[in-house]
Amino acid sequence: MYRTLYCNDIRDEHIGKTVSLAGWVDVVRDHGGVIFIDLRDYTGVTQVVIHDDSLVKEVNRETVISVTGVVSKRDEETVNDKIETGNVELVADTLEILGKSLNALPFEVRASRQSKDELRLKYRYLDLRNPKNHDNLVKRSKLSAI
């Protein structure tokens, strides 16, 4: 099983439990010995902490991964109020690459709306990962289901 919870489901009640998450790598931050990954799925974002550099050798933005680890509470100074999972983080034990991504994407996913329409249509699968485009698609689906 590559996922036990969705990224936005992790909360304080999961602290100390082992969970698995799967999604796209949104951001990779290397702080010398500690690597932080913002893991994104269709529900939201969770911060993943990795202490073993060998786990992330072939990981870059938009790579699809599955990580397993223990949920821990963030330090007071590192709490992120901008995301719903900002009080907790996943300390990864294992990481599996489910789908590799190119090192150079044709455009940044979060800035896809500033790209040319021809490029957005050619790489529609990337364009739909943009949070605004994804939200619009979900709203349209809900409205048509009424």
Side-chain angles (χ1 to χ4, degrees):
M1 183 180 330
Y2 66 95
R3 173 188 312 173
T4 56
L5 291 172
Y6 290 103
C7 288
N8 208 36
D9 292 342
I10 293 181
R11 297 290 186 265
D12 289 340
E13 61 263 17
H14 297 107
I15 293 174
K17 295 181 181 176
T18 300
V19 300
S20 296
L21 300 176
W24 294 281
V25 174
D26 199 28
V27 178
V28 179
R29 297 181 307 279
D30 188 350
H31 289 261
V34 179
I35 298 171
F36 297 96
I37 292 178
D38 290 345
L39 187 65
R40 179 186 84 241
D41 65 11
Y42 80 96
T43 63
V45 177
T46 297
Q47 178 171 286
V48 178
V49 180
I50 299 174
H51 296 286
D52 184 4
D53 292 348
S54 66
L55 291 177
V56 293
K57 281 189 285 190
E58 299 179 23
V59 174
N60 53 21
R61 294 182 68 147
E62 296 304 313
T63 298
V64 181
I65 62 172
S66 174
V67 291
T68 302
V70 178
V71 178
S72 67
K73 185 164 181 61
R74 287 192 189 189
D75 296 333
E76 289 291 326
E77 58 272 1
T78 62
V79 170
N80 185 354
D81 294 330
K82 295 178 184 174
I83 58 175
E84 294 181 42
T85 60
N87 290 331
V88 295
E89 59 193 8
L90 181 69
V91 180
D93 298 323
T94 62
L95 184 145
E96 179 184 358
I97 296 176
L98 302 176
K100 291 184 181 182
S101 172
L102 299 174
N103 286 334
L105 296 173
F107 52 81
E108 288 295 322
V109 171
R110 293 203 179 271
S112 68
R113 290 180 163 208
Q114 286 80 35
S115 300
K116 293 182 179 181
D117 287 341
E118 296 84 23
L119 193 61
R120 288 175 64 190
L121 289 172
K122 183 176 179 181
Y123 298 100
R124 186 74 174 145
Y125 60 94
L126 289 176
D127 189 35
L128 290 174
R129 294 181 193 175
N130 180 307
K132 290 182 182 179
N133 294 343
H134 180 266
D135 290 343
N136 288 342
L137 191 65
V138 170
K139 285 178 189 174
R140 179 178 167 193
S141 174
K142 288 180 180 178
L143 284 172
S144 65
I146 295 177

